[in-house]
Amino acid sequence: MKPLFAFNITKDKDNGENCSELFLVKKRNENLEKCLDENVEDLENTVSASKLPTPLVLIEYICGFFGLIVVSSMLTSEVGIRQAIRNAPILCILGVCSLIIGATLLVASVIKSKRVLKEENAEGKIEKCDRVTKEIFAELEVPVDAVDTDVLLFSYKLKDGEIKPVAPGLSPSPYLNHRMMAYVEDGNLCLADVGGVYCFPIEKIRALKTVKKRVIIPEWHKEEKHNKGVYKEFKIATNQYGYTVKGYHVLEIERDGETYGLYFPAYERHTLERLTGIAAESLEE
């Protein structure tokens, strides 16, 4: 099976091509594409300028982490705070100073972020991006009732014929949850983003499999919280790395004798079943 919206880096780690282009039926307007790219770049520059320099961010994390460990150890010491200070005065002083430095940098980071984002009108820039995105979707004729759906993007290597997702750099997870608009048109499951519209014939879908392996996604895109409403049943956990989802789905599609797979987080099951009319299958780890 060949994964869609995924990049095979077995031979080329910089490979930027994937076989999802086979299903691309509409492309966005070049002028709108350029406009959106310029607005996104402007917004990214503003967000980048609102942050502290990288060295200070590292100092903030290191000092804060070290300070928290030392101070919490002092507070929970069986011999008491005073005796803990007598036993290791230099360590305690360093811990308290580190915690103060970390907290100071954290406050400075928040103040700078709020000031820069306000001065640079970040909200206005976000609205510009949203407006251009709506224009692109309108030109691509994406229905207004299309469902906002997350698709898993990742890079992978082939090992003995098996797909092995690869995490980039120091990232804790190989997966990105990419927002796309899903709808059904002329017997096709359609997925649209600002790059274009991809169509997958529903009659060519062979299975909706459930893989019981946890995935970590970096962001939560839904308006409803990850632990509320329709998403509560999926028991999505959150930590410093993002959101941990218990499993994912692979929608298998046949084309010209090949099998292709669309990957979705487990919480998109109801959307996929409703749009395709296919019930999710189980697959042992």
Side-chain angles (χ1 to χ4, degrees), residues 87-104:
N87 292 342
I90 296 177
L91 180 62
C92 291
I93 291 172
L94 287 174
V96 172
C97 290
S98 294
L99 188 60
I100 292 172
I101 292 171
T104 301

Side-chain angles (χ1 to χ4, degrees), residues 22-264:
L22 293 171
F23 298 89
L24 181 65
V25 296
K26 294 180 184 178
K27 290 185 178 181
R28 65 183 179 184
N29 179 283
E30 289 185 4
N31 292 330
L32 288 176
E33 177 181 1
K34 183 178 179 181
C35 181
L36 180 62
D37 290 344
E38 289 175 350
N39 281 302
V40 169
E41 183 179 1
D42 188 22
L43 179 60
E44 288 176 344
N45 290 337
T46 297
V47 172
S48 179
S50 72
K51 298 178 180 179
L52 291 177
T54 302
L56 289 181
V57 174
L58 290 174
I59 292 172
E60 175 193 334
Y61 286 139
I62 293 171
C63 287
F65 182 69
F66 176 71
L68 280 173
I69 290 177
V70 174
V71 172
S72 62
S73 297
M74 290 168 54
L75 295 174
T76 58
S77 174
E78 294 181 357
V79 299
I81 297 177
R82 291 184 179 180
Q83 188 59 45
I85 295 174
R86 293 193 190 101
N87 292 342
I90 296 177
L91 180 62
C92 291
I93 291 172
L94 287 174
V96 172
C97 290
S98 294
L99 188 60
I100 292 172
I101 292 171
T104 301
L105 288 173
L106 175 61
V107 172
S109 174
V110 173
I111 292 174
K112 181 182 181 181
S113 178
K114 288 183 177 180
R115 177 178 58 79
V116 173
L117 293 178
K118 183 177 180 180
E119 290 176 353
E120 296 294 327
N121 190 23
E123 288 188 5
K125 292 178 180 180
I126 291 173
E127 289 176 358
K128 271 186 179 179
C129 290
D130 288 342
R131 185 167 60 250
V132 177
T133 298
K134 289 178 180 178
E135 289 180 18
I136 290 174
F137 282 153
E139 186 179 74
L140 293 173
E141 300 179 307
V142 176
V144 293
D145 60 348
V147 184
D148 196 340
T149 306
D150 284 352
V151 178
L152 292 177
L153 275 60
F154 60 95
S155 295
Y156 68 94
K157 289 184 178 180
L158 290 174
K159 187 174 181 180
D160 298 327
E162 290 189 26
I163 297 167
K164 301 288 185 182
V166 178
L170 299 175
S171 174
S173 172
Y175 301 101
L176 289 176
N177 52 320
H178 177 58
R179 296 178 70 179
M180 302 190 81
M181 305 307 293
Y183 58 98
V184 174
E185 184 176 81
D186 298 329
N188 295 305
L189 171 65
C190 301
L191 295 174
D193 61 12
V194 293
V197 178
Y198 302 81
C199 289
F200 309 92
I202 293 177
E203 65 177 13
K204 296 294 184 178
I205 296 175
R206 294 296 172 256
L208 176 55
K209 294 187 175 180
T210 302
V211 182
K212 298 177 182 178
K213 291 183 179 179
R214 296 188 180 191
V215 297
I216 298 175
I217 56 174
E219 298 177 286
W220 184 252
H221 299 142
K222 310 295 185 179
E223 291 185 7
E224 196 164 32
K225 289 186 177 181
H226 68 281
N227 55 357
K228 301 291 183 181
V230 296
Y231 303 111
K232 187 175 182 179
E233 67 175 281
F234 298 101
K235 299 179 181 179
I236 301 167
T238 180
N239 53 38
Q240 68 270 35
Y241 301 117
Y243 298 83
T244 301
V245 185
K246 296 180 178 180
Y248 58 91
H249 298 294
V250 182
L251 197 65
E252 294 188 351
I253 304 154
E254 283 190 5
R255 177 183 172 128
D256 299 330
E258 291 276 4
T259 301
Y260 298 88
L262 283 166
Y263 288 64
F264 300 87

